[in-house]
Amino acid sequence: MPPFLADEQRNYKIIFMILSVSLALAAVWAFFDEDVTRRPWKQWQRLYAQLLDHGADQVAVAQLVVPELQVVDRCTTCHAGIDNPAMVGGNHKVLQVHPQRDTLLKHHPSLQFGCTPCHRGQGLALTEGTAHGPGDPHWLEPLLRGPYVQASCLGCHAATEHLAGAEILAKGKQLFTELGCAGCHAIGPEAPPRRGPSLVHVAQKLLPGYMVTWIANPEKRRARYQMPQFWPKAATDPSEATRRDREVLAIAAYLLEKSEAWPMASAATAVAGERAALGKALFDQVGCRGCHALGGGRDTVRIAEPKAAGSGDAWADFGGNDAPGDASPVALAAAATIDFAPPLGEVASRLQPGFIANWLRDPSQYWREARMPTPRLVEGETLYIQSYLHSVATLPVPPTPAALATPRDPKLVEQGLKLITVYGCAGCHEIPGFATDARPGPDLADYGSKDPRDMLQPTPPPPRHQRTWERATEAKLLAPQALSAGTIKLVMPDYGLQPEQVQALAVFLRGLRSQTIPAAYRAEPAGGQARLQAENLIQERGCQQCHQLRGLNGAILRYYEQAHLAPPSLDVAGKRLQPQWMFSYLLEPAPVRPWLQVRMPQFRFTPAEAENVTAWLAENAGKAGGLRPMPIHAVSPQRAEMGAHLFERLKCVTCHRLVRGDGVETAQLAPDLGLARQRLDPAWVRNFIEDPGKVLPGTKMPQFFPDGQSPTPDVLGGNVAAQMELLVDYLMNLGLLPVGAEPPAPVRKGAP
Amino acid sequence: MQFFGERAQKTLILVVILVAIALASLLATVALAYTPGPVVGGAAVRGIVKFTGPVPAPAKLDIIKDPEVCGTEPKFDESLQVGAGQGLANVVVYIEKIDKGRALTTAKAELDNRHCRFVPHLQAFATGTELAVKNSDGVLHNTHIRLPNSDVFNYALPEKGQVIKKKMTRAGLMKVGCDAGHVWMGAWIAVFDHPYFAISDKDGKFSLADVPPGQYNLMFWHEKLGKGSQQLTVQPGAAQDLTQVYK
Ligand SMILES: [Cu+2]
């Protein structure tokens, strides 16, 4: 022991040494910690460099900067392989390529879009917790997970209907429209049409006794639209039920008291007996069944059963190799919904006796925005159908509650006015005394960026870290009045939504944000708004309830044994018809096949709507050129004469008329060819003549040239192609040829 | 150990599944199709079909088009024809789902449009038979032949004396009609992929030759009276006589 060191000093030295070693260890540990624990991205960077055989000098923070979107995203620091197609498979999920790189990143290059505009989260953060959230409640932009990432599409895409990968969002948007959410909640300056029927003349439509039971307990009567439940707690809470019954009476009293007079053309009420039988025949034949079921939502009545083997039908059970074609009812499994419109089974216990006949004359006279087309019935027919529908009812007519009989208590009516205001009935229904743009619910234009701390939570409230935007919104939609709201009275009604509907709606709502997107990033739908409008109209008006179109088979087709008696396929019509003809037919349907019992109704399209639908159907059939008239090949008089000769030899006039107003008997067999020039597409006619059954399965038109043989070998040397061409030329020039006088077309009212 | 990439493996599995499905469906078809071969101990099955109910007078057909060609003499419904001893004519008799036996005999068959009727009203033949569709009238007829849910063909015959020949390859019960305004024209054709079928004659008699021993369902079909059936057990070389009754 050296003498110059005292014992004390020696102790200090030991302490000093220990401290030094600790410091050294701490430094090493800090270095390690900085590198690995606090900067986990370095691991991913190293691993990525290693996988790619790069040197370790590649390890650095990666950053995507998109000034137009105010984006600085460092996500690719860890997700280094996100745009690298080589990073498929492997054990490291973080480094993997974007699962939909081929579609999504192709249209949204990462250098141009960054990551957070779609996925959200904190783009600057370099650790998982802060970047992704919502583990830390202070981060307001948690990563959108699962289907919620689809919400971001709404920011730039004006239409989400056909966006691949945004199906849940599209469903949510559609639900928002169909359920009429926009009636109470604005998301933009435009007020969409109200979803519910007009109540302006309700006293002439509904029985008062039925009104109160319906308002208190709206039934789920069809797959699509539904009136929601405004007193969901009344089912379990007797005091709520008492309140509900009192409020319902007041609401009904106001609606009946303020109902405005509707001029009814026919005072005739329902009469059973023979009229009902005639009405049933009409109801079955003219097309009502395309949209309306008779029973409580599902309807098994069929006009003609498909001939399926084992059905007991002696013909179908015979065996053999029958192969149902496309037009066969048996093949029509994927039918449109059978309950597109309200079922009509129990109208006598719901409707005033004279309502149906008057409504059928022109639904828009009762309700301007009515979706039901005008069915083109004549006066007597509307009465027959009314008689029939009133005769199928089995439920008793509900008595009128005493409080609703006239004179009504002005206090009750006054109370009804207040309740209608509170519940926002005018959001969906036109009601006398209420402004057309009344929006009782809060504006939702920025709902998607709402702070979850400001949102109502279900009872009991979930733990703090689970109080996310998604949970709060889903809970609200699932049971709107079950959230804890303190003293606020919740009035949003219960739509009885299924969990997947709730999620779809929430995804759509998540996408609602007030944000300014640079013009270059805004995406218009392919084909523009005209195409979208056409698609909405086709869906909204139920074209596919009667017509086959794009894989959806009209619900009404199941009632037809023979395809040629059913409404024609619109896939075929697009090819067959000249767009100009389709356009005028949509505006004013004129009978082409008088033998059909089903009638094309009048949809009350505006010219612009008819033009958009026509253009859509033509495009669907592979035709460009819009509504321009089709070029017609002119023929010489000699060729015309030759055409007339062939036409006569083939005896086409056995079934087809050539001039309007001529040949009443043959008018029952085939379309009037005097219309061919304006109506038919020459290329389609050529294909149709060649093999009618192939072009139009189930048609009555026979094949004249089977196996390429002509029955008239002496014409044009028996050349089948030349004969078909001659027939088309002749037909397309019929209106210009001297085949007799062409009187103005007499439109037979009430015929299809 | 991994021989292929993940994708290649998936493709391989898919191919194996598809091949399996294809083989299975092939086997199913083979099992159902008729295989001709030598018949040992074949026996005749004869019989008579009777109708014991009251026979209504046949309905008069309403000839609403082309009377100058179709003829002005009254035409009657041909469906229900009862002969001597209550024998019921025009019943299709056949063995159901028979899968082996003697070879098919294909003949030539004809369907004439004559005076706006189909002649014959009912016929039966084996697949592979060539059917000649003929128009003996001077008006347009079209011969539209349908299975319950699909068209077989629909030929127009605008010329008098015109004949269109068609080899019939599909089996089944076919309904014939003319759409050229002759709504009363109707006929039936039964096509079989085996030779064990017959049509009862005017006295209701039928016979099936050389039926291999075994147990079968003997089926009956009549246009108006529908279907009937009875169990049939054929012993080697033992001919038998049956009676089938429609009420
Ligand atoms: Cu005919």
Side-chain angles (χ1 to χ4, degrees):
Chain A
M1 176 132 336
F4 52 88
L5 282 180
D7 282 356
E8 274 177 35
Q9 283 172 316
R10 202 175 303 138
N11 285 345
Y12 280 128
K13 190 174 183 187
I14 289 167
I15 291 169
F16 183 72
M17 277 170 69
I18 292 171
L19 281 173
S20 302
V21 171
S22 310
L23 191 62
L25 285 174
V28 171
W29 179 77
F31 179 81
F32 181 78
D33 179 59
E34 175 69 12
D35 196 48
V36 176
T37 317
R38 301 203 176 238
R39 299 204 174 168
W41 59 267
K42 284 199 173 180
Q43 273 182 293
W44 296 117
Q45 282 278 310
R46 280 194 203 106
L47 189 57
Y48 188 60
Q50 199 184 326
L51 288 171
L52 262 57
D53 281 340
H54 286 161
D57 58 322
Q58 298 283 331
V59 174
V61 169
Q63 190 165 278
L64 291 166
V65 182
V66 189
E68 295 92 324
L69 297 175
Q70 296 169 340
V71 158
V72 181
D73 281 350
R74 296 173 174 168
C75 316
T76 50
T77 307
C78 293
H79 299 288
I82 204 76
D83 206 2
N84 181 352
M87 297 304 291
V88 185
N91 299 322
H92 308 293
K93 215 181 151 204
V94 171
L95 294 176
Q96 270 175 25
V97 69
H98 195 287
Q100 289 166 65
R101 177 180 182 273
D102 295 346
T103 48
L104 291 179
L105 292 196
K106 190 175 118 202
H107 299 299
H108 310 85
S110 53
L111 288 177
Q112 227 173 303
F113 284 82
C115 311
T116 53
C118 298
H119 293 276
R120 303 214 198 149
Q122 281 54 237
L124 281 170
L126 282 168
T127 59
E128 191 187 345
T130 42
H132 294 181
D136 188 328
H138 300 295
W139 298 118
L140 286 179
E141 287 286 8
L143 198 70
L144 295 177
R145 293 195 180 267
Y148 279 94
V149 73
Q150 298 180 16
S152 302
C153 308
L154 208 55
C156 303
H157 290 275
T160 51
E161 280 79 354
H162 299 296
L163 279 185
E167 289 78 11
I168 295 178
L169 170 69
K171 196 183 153 203
K173 192 179 177 189
Q174 190 191 356
L175 273 172
F176 193 85
T177 309
E178 285 189 355
L179 297 175
C181 308
C184 290
H185 302 281
I187 48 171
E190 280 168 59
R194 275 170 292 242
R195 302 304 293 180
S198 163
L199 301 178
V200 173
H201 314 293
V202 71
Q204 279 158 286
K205 178 182 175 186
L206 297 177
L207 299 170
Y210 172 72
M211 276 173 81
V212 291
T213 49
W214 175 261
I215 299 169
N217 263 316
E219 293 166 49
K220 174 89 178 154
R221 295 175 57 214
R222 49 186 164 138
R224 285 160 65 105
Y225 319 116
Q226 189 200 356
M227 165 126 160
Q229 169 58 262
F230 284 82
W231 298 269
K233 290 175 183 166
T236 49
D237 181 346
S239 70
E240 274 285 304
T242 315
R243 178 172 74 91
R244 174 195 66 193
D245 295 345
R246 206 178 55 236
E247 294 185 347
V248 164
L249 264 189
I251 291 171
Y254 177 87
L255 294 175
L256 289 169
E257 186 71 21
K258 301 293 174 185
S259 178
E260 293 167 9
W262 175 41
M264 290 172 65
S266 162
T269 51
V271 182
E274 192 193 342
R275 280 180 166 193
L278 291 168
K280 178 180 177 2
L282 280 166
F283 186 81
D284 287 347
Q285 290 158 3
V286 297
C288 311
R289 283 173 176 276
C291 295
H292 295 280
L294 256 194
R298 296 278 170 243
D299 188 0
T300 52
V301 181
R302 288 180 169 190
I303 297 168
E305 288 286 345
K307 301 219 173 297
S311 62
D313 177 277
W315 185 16
D317 284 351
F318 195 87
N321 40 14
D322 189 10
D326 285 344
S328 151
V330 179
L332 301 180
T337 50
I338 197 163
D339 49 1
F340 182 79
L344 299 175
E346 292 290 347
V347 293
S349 57
R350 294 192 267 139
L351 300 181
Q352 295 283 1
F355 174 76
I356 290 178
N358 283 284
W359 162 264
L360 287 175
R361 292 179 66 242
D362 182 356
S364 71
Q365 291 295 311
Y366 177 86
W367 172 19
R368 257 178 304 123
E369 295 163 348
R371 283 181 289 274
M372 169 151 165
T374 309
R376 293 171 62 233
L377 298 160
V378 296
E379 191 65 29
E381 293 175 328
T382 58
L383 286 173
Y384 298 156
I385 291 180
Q386 174 172 275
S387 305
Y388 168 59
L389 290 177
H390 276 265
S391 74
V392 290
T394 54
L395 297 175
V397 174
T400 301
L404 297 183
T406 47
R408 298 176 190 100
D409 179 3
K411 276 187 197 156
L412 191 66
V413 173
E414 181 65 23
Q415 213 188 329
L417 172 70
K418 284 181 188 145
L419 288 163
I420 289 172
T421 314
V422 169
Y423 287 118
C425 309
C428 287
H429 302 279
E430 193 177 346
I431 295 173
F434 284 83
T436 49
D437 55 353
R439 302 283 192 90
D443 188 297
L444 297 181
D446 198 30
Y447 184 79
S449 39
K450 209 168 172 178
D451 186 339
R453 289 170 297 188
D454 298 339
M455 296 166 84
L456 296 179
Q457 298 295 332
T459 21
R464 282 193 77 83
H465 69 277
Q466 285 184 18
R467 293 184 199 170
T468 61
W469 185 101
E470 285 81 0
R471 280 189 167 236
T473 304
E474 287 183 9
K476 171 79 178 171
L477 291 169
L478 201 59
Q481 296 186 21
L483 304 183
S484 42
T487 52
I488 310 166
K489 191 180 172 233
L490 295 173
V491 291
M492 172 156 151
D494 191 333
Y495 282 82
L497 298 173
Q498 300 302 309
E500 72 274 11
Q501 293 178 308
V502 163
Q503 195 189 49
L505 263 176
V507 166
F508 170 68
L509 293 172
R510 191 60 155 143
L512 296 176
R513 318 186 95 192
S514 320
Q515 52 190 348
T516 328
I517 303 284
Y521 283 86
R522 272 183 243 135
E524 277 296 311
Q529 293 297 334
R531 184 171 167 181
L532 270 187
Q533 192 202 27
E535 282 172 10
N536 284 339
L537 279 169
I538 286 167
Q539 194 173 29
E540 181 88 338
R541 303 296 172 89
C543 303
Q544 285 150 306
Q545 293 300 118
C546 290
H547 300 277
Q548 202 174 331
L549 177 63
R550 281 249 180 129
L552 200 60
N553 305 302
I556 202 171
L557 297 187
R558 76 188 64 212
Y559 298 117
Y560 292 89
E561 183 184 339
Q562 286 170 291
H564 68 89
L565 294 177
S569 151
L570 292 184
D571 291 318
V572 173
K575 296 193 184 91
R576 169 166 56 190
L577 301 175
Q578 295 184 26
Q580 189 68 44
W581 168 272
M582 259 198 286
F583 170 73
S584 32
Y585 189 84
L586 284 174
L587 283 180
E588 182 61 56
V592 173
R593 297 178 184 78
W595 63 90
L596 291 188
Q597 287 171 316
V598 66
R599 298 178 199 174
M600 168 80 172
Q602 156 68 265
F603 279 89
R604 307 186 301 272
F605 287 127
T606 65
E609 288 174 335
E611 187 176 340
N612 288 343
V613 172
T614 304
W616 192 94
L617 290 172
E619 198 193 315
N620 179 51
K623 282 186 204 169
L627 261 64
R628 268 185 289 120
M630 306 204 81
I632 302 294
H633 187 218
V635 294
S636 66
Q638 290 81 0
R639 189 161 163 81
E641 203 176 305
M642 198 155 70
H645 171 70
L646 180 59
F647 204 75
E648 198 189 317
R649 288 283 298 281
L650 296 178
K651 301 191 172 67
C652 307
V653 283
T654 308
C655 300
H656 291 283
R657 286 192 292 178
L658 292 184
V659 182
R660 304 212 114 220
D662 176 32
V664 176
E665 177 201 2
T666 51
Q668 291 302 315
L669 294 173
D672 181 351
L673 291 179
L675 295 172
R677 183 181 172 74
Q678 309 134 50
R679 185 175 161 253
L680 298 175
D681 182 323
W684 184 86
V685 176
R686 160 78 176 63
N687 290 341
F688 185 59
I689 293 175
E690 185 171 18
D691 192 348
K694 192 171 143 199
V695 172
L696 213 58
T699 183
K700 290 201 291 182
M701 165 88 171
Q703 197 179 3
F704 281 80
F705 308 104
D707 304 321
Q709 297 292 311
S710 169
T712 49
D714 53 314
V715 179
L716 289 166
N719 183 323
V720 167
Q723 289 190 4
M724 289 194 291
E725 198 184 318
L726 178 61
L727 285 173
V728 174
D729 277 351
Y730 174 70
L731 285 178
M732 298 316 288
N733 283 281
L734 260 182
L736 302 177
L737 299 169
V739 286
E742 190 169 10
V747 177
R748 271 187 24 187
K749 274 286 171 201
Chain B
M1 196 153 86
Q2 210 171 350
F3 291 105
F4 310 100
E6 209 171 320
R7 262 173 204 213
Q9 259 183 336
K10 276 186 187 162
T11 318
L12 186 74
I13 291 170
L14 199 69
V15 167
V16 168
I17 291 173
L18 284 176
V19 168
I21 291 173
L23 279 175
S25 46
L26 191 70
L27 278 174
T29 344
V30 168
L32 280 178
Y34 181 80
T35 336
V39 176
V40 180
V45 175
R46 292 182 296 263
I48 184 162
V49 189
K50 290 186 174 185
F51 178 64
T52 57
V55 183
K60 187 165 176 272
L61 299 176
D62 203 3
I63 312 299
I64 52 168
K65 202 171 188 293
D66 304 322
E68 61 286 356
V69 175
C70 298
T72 43
E73 82 284 354
K75 289 185 167 61
F76 296 95
D77 179 72
E78 294 167 86
S79 57
L80 191 64
Q81 292 181 20
V82 182
Q86 295 180 313
L88 178 62
N90 280 354
V91 174
V92 182
V93 185
Y94 61 102
I95 294 178
E96 190 184 43
K97 290 176 187 154
I98 186 164
D99 56 4
K100 27 183 191 301
R102 67 182 158 89
L104 276 74
T105 41
T106 54
K108 295 215 184 297
E110 189 184 80
L111 181 64
D112 192 8
N113 290 264
R114 182 179 287 273
H115 300 312
C116 304
R117 328 194 64 170
F118 288 113
V119 183
H121 181 69
L122 169 72
Q123 58 184 312
F125 48 74
T127 48
T129 298
E130 187 181 79
L131 177 68
V133 183
K134 189 175 168 193
N135 183 0
S136 301
D137 294 337
V139 293
L140 173 78
H141 288 300
N142 73 307
T143 300
H144 191 167
I145 302 192
R146 292 188 291 140
L147 280 162
N149 297 299
S150 57
D151 274 358
V152 179
F153 64 74
N154 181 4
Y155 292 154
L157 297 146
E159 296 278 291
K160 185 168 184 172
Q162 190 187 344
V163 177
I164 300 175
K165 289 174 180 162
K166 170 82 178 171
K167 192 170 173 182
M168 304 296 276
T169 52
R170 290 163 75 183
L173 181 61
M174 299 171 185
K175 195 175 190 171
V176 189
C178 173
D179 306 310
H182 308 131
V183 284
W184 62 89
M185 290 179 71
W188 292 89
I189 301 174
V191 186
F192 295 91
D193 56 5
H194 60 79
Y196 299 102
F197 60 86
I199 290 177
S200 64
D201 66 12
K202 64 180 172 38
D203 298 323
K205 289 183 181 142
F206 67 90
S207 77
L208 307 172
D210 213 11
V211 182
Q215 286 206 324
Y216 307 101
N217 267 340
L218 189 63
M219 306 296 290
F220 301 85
W221 176 87
H222 183 269
E223 178 185 348
K224 275 276 149 63
L225 304 170
K227 54 184 180 175
S229 71
Q230 56 174 276
Q231 297 274 320
L232 172 66
T233 306
V234 178
Q235 307 289 356
Q240 53 183 310
D241 284 283
L242 305 164
T243 306
Q244 172 76 9
V245 179
Y246 278 100
K247 283 177 190 152

